[in-house]
Amino acid sequence: MGASELDVARQLMRLCLAEDSREVAHRLGCDPTGTLAGCLRLAEDRAAAAVRYDLTWRNAV
């Protein structure tokens, strides 16, 4: 077929069949060492860092 996991995820989101990549991975699964899984791990890390930054900033004020 030649489509990557990211291509499939993008197409499903374009068709409004999934809200985001996380939903695609949850419903269809993904290769744990693949690009989609890596992108999801990076997004989780960014979100966690933003929360830590926000909590640190609020405690400093």
Side-chain angles (χ1 to χ4, degrees):
M1 196 160 167
S4 71
E5 289 178 334
L6 287 176
D7 292 335
V8 171
R10 286 185 190 116
Q11 185 63 19
L12 290 172
M13 289 184 286
R14 269 187 225 110
L15 295 171
C16 297
L17 296 174
E19 188 70 28
D20 54 28
S21 298
R22 185 168 315 285
E23 184 178 354
V24 173
H26 177 74
R27 289 180 178 221
L28 301 179
C30 66
D31 177 2
T33 61
T35 306
L36 181 57
C39 289
L40 294 173
R41 283 192 301 275
L42 287 172
E44 272 184 34
D45 188 54
R46 273 188 244 118
V51 169
R52 284 192 302 269
Y53 174 79
D54 186 51
L55 291 175
T56 303
W57 184 82
R58 286 179 190 210
N59 289 332
V61 175

